[in-house]
Amino acid sequence: MEATRELYWNIGHGALVLLPMYLFTFVALGLLVKSGLKRLDIYRQGKPLDRFGNRGERIANLLKNVFLQSRVLMVKGPGYAHGLFFWGFFVLFVGTILVALQADFTDLLFGFRFLDGEFYKLFSLALDLAGLAAVVMLAGLFVRRYLVRPKGLETSRDDAIMHGLLFAILITGFVIEGARMAVNELPNDPALAAWSPVGLMIAKALAGMGEPSLRALHQGLWWVHFFLVIGFICAIPFTKFRHIFTTAANYFFADLGPKGALVTLDMEGDAESFGTANLKDLTWKDIFDTDACTKCKRCQDRCPAHNTDKPLSPMKVINQLGEVACTNPEANLIETVSKDALWSCTTCRACQEICPAAIEHVGKVVDMRRNMVLMEGEFPGEEVMAAMDNTEVNGNPLGMAMASRGDWAEGLPVKKMAEDADVDILYFVGCYASFDKRNIKIATSFIHLCAAAGIKVGILGKEEKCCGEPMRKMGNEYLYQSMAAENIETIKGYGVKKVVTACPHCFNTLAKDYRDLGFDVETEHYTVFLNRLVEEGKLKLKAETFDCTYHDSCYIGRYNDLYKEPRALISAAGGTIREMDKSGAESFCCGAGGGRIMAEEKLGSRISVSRAKMAAGTGAGMLVSNCPFCMTMFEDGIKGAELEGQLVPRDIGEILLERLTL
């Protein structure tokens, strides 16, 4: 006997079955499409934005993240459970399509059947295992949401509908299969029944009911199962089920520009307002993001502000914007989200990196800050206003005299560009390495390392201005562009071929953000530059064993994916790294980003103290970083955590200089 089964067994295959079945299916699909088109009106409340270019790359991004569940699987546990559930449910969906294709098309019109023989056996096994995986994973997600319930996980009516419908669809599907097998395969073809192991188990449990009862159970549940599926389709646009489409689409609409780069505002045009205060100030993609959110709270779990008891949850910000878009389009977004929440953000990008829906949080926060600063003249504190004033007058937020910016380099093997522009690289020093005593030591280390490798280094000295990044992230786009324009004109005026900087914030700004303003000079972070010198044998080191833990700066790690080079340098110096639990792409911010280096931390506990405690928890006595902001924060955080004498902050450049072989 050939391995196969009668499709629509016990249901019939005439017009009385097919007509209502397809009528309800098309009505449900029509409702889905109609309701989906209505949601387009919500997205159209936002400004235009082109997210359709490079379609090949966008389609590849969509396929990778949907079918491989790449972003979902970044988190173990619930991520794996969701991934396995998706694959299981998808296989069941494909199986259903194949059944309908044969029964209602190829066999009905052409007498052609493909669900038989060895293929049918594999088909049956695949569907049974997929269904089992889906049930088990859904049960695990149910336990997590309703029994274990991690802190901060919000549960709503939508979640109950989703779990209830999906469980009902899966369970009724298995019972229908078991009832059919109890009548047909269990007594007549037990070898074939073995290819449906879950159905076989249910069939054995139901076998004692007798054929009439089994047929009645099968037929009744078949229609119940069918209408549950119809209900599922109809519920998609009105519940979190819509993320099936919106999250997938969000992969297609992802920003393909430089990672983390902000939109550069036209400050010289005739715009009447800047930044975001109302729904009309958002783009359609900003509003679309709110529909893609599944409230999984991954962003919230990794937010350093939220984890230090500040009033910021990236998840809530997105959902608050969505509520305004759907229920109160005239509401003020800043008041809805709250100013304290917006000022708390460090722009560390942890929320965006981990988001399984590819939602873009940081730009929305900065745009609302822009409105507060540029339109209302508001800052999170007087100290920030003073730093802005200092930058406008002296070119740095510390209030130091512009003429003294290059004083730290006196007596060092470095040239000032105004005196001699014949150099291999321009070292863009940054404000803290120019004026802060602790960070001046790091700048000095870099100069000595370059000299040892035979690299001629130049600096701008008093001609260098703050890169403008802290001001920009705080919302002062005007001041940022003023600083940027002066720096760009100066650097290009000297015909510089390469810029190297030890500050991740300067690096990210010059390498990406300045491009919109006409800057095209190659820019590298000093860890990449020094690592190349080591690999080429130009910088010779004597490895001396030491233990340390390493902090991935947000603007080197998440913004630029530079994880290998700093670790390679530590290894070349003889270091063994004891990684913190939050490291690499999941590194915990030092608290200085987003312009917070200029602001007092008045709400919650101090982020730098939390990070210092994480470092001390590794048992290493040395905390290594590669960012002047981080160094400044760790100096304070170690004191605040009362870890002086137990944990010493060091920069990679300092460690390399100590092991330099002359």
Side-chain angles (χ1 to χ4, degrees):
M1 181 184 295
E2 188 174 31
T4 189
R5 69 175 173 88
E6 179 187 348
L7 304 181
Y8 291 107
W9 173 84
N10 194 44
I11 303 300
H13 199 222
L16 291 178
V17 172
L18 293 181
L19 285 178
M21 186 178 74
Y22 278 101
L23 175 63
F24 279 111
T25 299
F26 286 127
V27 167
L29 292 174
L31 177 63
L32 172 63
V33 172
K34 182 179 179 181
S35 301
L37 291 175
K38 278 188 175 181
R39 295 200 74 80
L40 290 179
D41 292 334
I42 296 175
Y43 311 144
R44 290 192 184 106
Q45 295 176 95
K47 296 184 296 186
L49 179 69
D50 183 9
R51 286 292 179 89
F52 297 91
N54 300 316
R55 292 189 181 179
E57 184 178 353
R58 293 186 181 281
I59 291 171
N61 195 34
L62 183 152
L63 295 176
K64 179 186 74 172
N65 283 294
V66 170
F67 293 108
L68 298 182
Q69 294 280 281
S70 301
R71 294 190 67 89
V72 172
L73 295 177
M74 288 192 296
V75 174
K76 298 176 182 178
Y80 289 176
H82 185 283
L84 287 170
F85 173 80
F86 167 82
W87 290 317
F89 207 80
F90 180 73
V91 170
L92 292 175
F93 172 75
V94 171
T96 302
I97 296 298
L98 291 177
V99 168
L101 181 64
Q102 174 176 297
D104 303 332
F105 183 69
T106 63
D107 188 19
L108 186 66
L109 299 180
F110 307 106
F112 173 68
R113 299 180 180 182
F114 53 85
L115 293 177
D116 57 17
E118 295 303 312
F119 178 74
Y120 175 74
K121 291 179 181 178
L122 294 175
F123 172 83
S124 297
L125 180 62
L127 262 63
D128 254 40
L129 295 179
L132 178 62
V135 170
V136 172
M137 293 304 106
L138 186 60
L141 292 170
F142 178 88
V143 168
R144 176 177 181 267
R145 179 169 292 278
Y146 289 99
L147 300 180
V148 177
R149 196 167 184 179
K151 181 181 178 182
L153 183 64
E154 298 181 352
T155 298
S156 65
R157 174 186 60 91
D158 280 12
D159 299 297
I161 292 173
M162 292 173 70
H163 278 87
L165 260 179
L166 293 172
F167 265 127
I169 289 170
L170 293 166
I171 298 302
T172 54
F174 273 127
V175 176
I176 291 166
E177 179 187 41
R180 174 185 59 77
M181 291 177 64
V183 174
N184 290 333
E185 294 171 14
L186 194 60
N188 302 320
D189 196 350
L192 180 60
W195 288 91
S196 302
V198 181
L200 178 60
M201 180 179 67
I202 296 173
K204 289 179 178 179
L206 299 176
M209 291 179 61
E211 184 171 335
S213 297
L214 287 169
R215 283 180 174 273
L217 175 65
H218 174 273
Q219 190 175 68
L221 273 185
W222 193 94
W223 284 107
V224 169
H225 179 80
F226 170 75
F227 282 109
L228 286 170
V229 173
I230 294 299
F232 168 77
I233 295 172
C234 292
I236 288 174
F238 307 105
T239 65
K240 284 168 62 177
F241 275 137
R242 62 178 170 267
H243 83 272
I244 296 170
F245 295 106
T246 54
T247 297
N250 227 24
Y251 300 140
F252 179 88
F253 295 133
D255 184 4
L256 300 182
K259 189 177 180 182
L262 294 174
V263 173
T264 299
L265 301 183
D266 181 2
M267 303 302 299
E268 298 179 355
D270 56 0
E272 295 181 0
S273 66
F274 298 102
T276 296
N278 303 108
L279 197 66
K280 62 180 177 57
D281 299 323
L282 295 172
T283 68
W284 68 262
K285 173 59 167 60
D286 290 325
I287 301 173
F288 190 84
D289 273 350
T290 69
D291 248 6
C293 179
T294 63
K295 297 184 181 179
C296 68
K297 82 180 186 71
R298 292 186 184 186
C299 58
Q300 180 175 284
D301 285 345
R302 285 155 185 79
C303 175
H306 183 82
N307 279 279
T308 51
D309 303 315
K310 296 171 179 62
L312 171 64
S313 162
M315 177 183 72
K316 289 183 179 178
V317 170
I318 297 302
N319 283 279
Q320 285 167 333
L321 298 182
E323 289 172 8
V324 168
C326 293
T327 64
N328 189 14
E330 301 303 317
N332 183 283
L333 300 181
I334 295 171
E335 292 177 2
T336 300
V337 173
S338 91
K339 295 175 182 178
D340 281 342
L342 293 171
W343 290 129
S344 295
C345 179
T346 66
T347 67
C348 70
R349 200 181 159 84
C351 50
Q352 287 188 214
E353 284 295 287
I354 202 64
C355 179
I359 290 167
E360 298 160 18
H361 308 74
V362 175
K364 298 174 181 55
V365 170
V366 173
D367 271 343
M368 284 185 271
R369 286 181 173 183
R370 282 169 167 171
N371 187 270
M372 287 190 283
V373 171
L374 298 174
M375 303 308 298
E376 304 298 333
E378 290 192 38
F379 295 94
E382 292 182 2
E383 74 282 4
V384 177
M385 187 180 297
M388 297 285 183
D389 290 341
N390 288 334
T391 304
E392 195 164 358
V393 174
N394 295 309
N396 68 85
L398 302 173
M400 306 299 286
M402 189 183 303
S404 65
R405 193 175 183 105
D407 289 356
W408 66 274
E410 293 298 328
L412 295 176
V414 59
K415 302 177 181 180
K416 291 183 179 178
M417 299 295 286
E419 299 171 359
D420 184 355
D422 180 21
V423 297
D424 297 317
I425 64 167
L426 169 66
Y427 175 33
F428 193 89
V429 186
C431 300
Y432 276 76
S434 294
F435 297 113
D436 176 69
K437 290 183 180 180
R438 179 67 186 85
N439 281 290
I440 285 175
K441 295 179 181 179
I442 298 168
T444 302
S445 298
F446 177 70
I447 296 300
H448 284 305
L449 289 169
C450 288
I455 304 296
K456 293 185 292 183
V457 182
I459 61 172
L460 295 175
K462 64 181 180 181
E463 294 182 284
E464 181 183 291
K465 303 291 191 301
C466 176
C467 70
E469 189 269 351
M471 298 78 213
R472 188 182 208 199
K473 294 294 166 56
M474 267 292 171
N476 197 339
E477 180 76 7
Y478 178 82
L479 183 54
Y480 154 72
Q481 289 194 24
S482 298
M483 295 294 103
E486 293 186 51
N487 283 325
I488 291 171
E489 182 180 3
T490 302
I491 294 171
K492 294 183 75 170
Y494 285 117
V496 172
K497 293 183 174 59
K498 176 180 282 191
V499 176
V500 178
T501 178
C503 176
H505 299 264
C506 295
F507 165 64
N508 191 72
T509 303
L510 271 65
K512 296 177 182 176
D513 295 335
Y514 275 22
R515 306 295 154 166
D516 288 347
L517 302 174
F519 188 69
D520 57 2
V521 180
E522 180 187 358
T523 305
E524 279 189 334
H525 188 253
Y526 82 122
T527 55
V528 177
F529 181 72
L530 292 177
N531 188 58
R532 186 185 306 112
L533 294 180
V534 171
E535 289 179 341
E536 293 174 352
K538 295 178 180 178
L539 191 62
K540 300 184 183 301
L541 303 174
K542 177 179 63 176
E544 296 178 358
T545 302
F546 67 98
D547 281 350
C548 68
T549 188
Y550 171 67
H551 169 77
D552 291 278
S553 165
C554 304
Y555 277 77
I556 286 301
R558 281 185 289 269
Y559 274 79
N560 289 284
D561 299 313
L562 297 178
Y563 301 108
K564 180 183 70 174
E565 290 85 353
R567 286 172 171 79
L569 287 173
I570 292 172
S571 178
T576 299
I577 301 174
R578 300 185 186 183
E579 297 284 7
M580 289 179 262
D581 290 337
K582 295 182 182 296
S583 63
E586 293 196 27
S587 180
F588 196 81
C589 182
C590 73
R596 295 293 314 176
I597 187 71
M598 302 183 294
E600 295 178 12
E601 201 166 352
K602 301 171 184 176
L603 301 175
S605 57
R606 291 165 61 189
I607 296 174
S608 61
V609 170
S610 294
R611 189 54 168 168
K613 289 179 179 178
M614 293 178 196
T618 66
M622 184 188 301
L623 170 56
V624 180
S625 66
N626 53 33
C627 170
F629 286 11
C630 294
M631 178 60 71
T632 300
M633 298 305 284
F634 292 150
E635 290 273 317
D636 291 339
I638 289 171
K639 292 177 183 176
E642 298 181 350
L643 292 170
E644 293 171 285
Q646 301 177 48
L647 188 64
V648 178
R650 301 296 306 280
D651 182 85
I652 288 178
E654 295 175 308
I655 295 171
L656 296 181
L657 184 62
E658 291 171 356
R659 289 156 177 77
L660 187 64
T661 301
L662 299 177

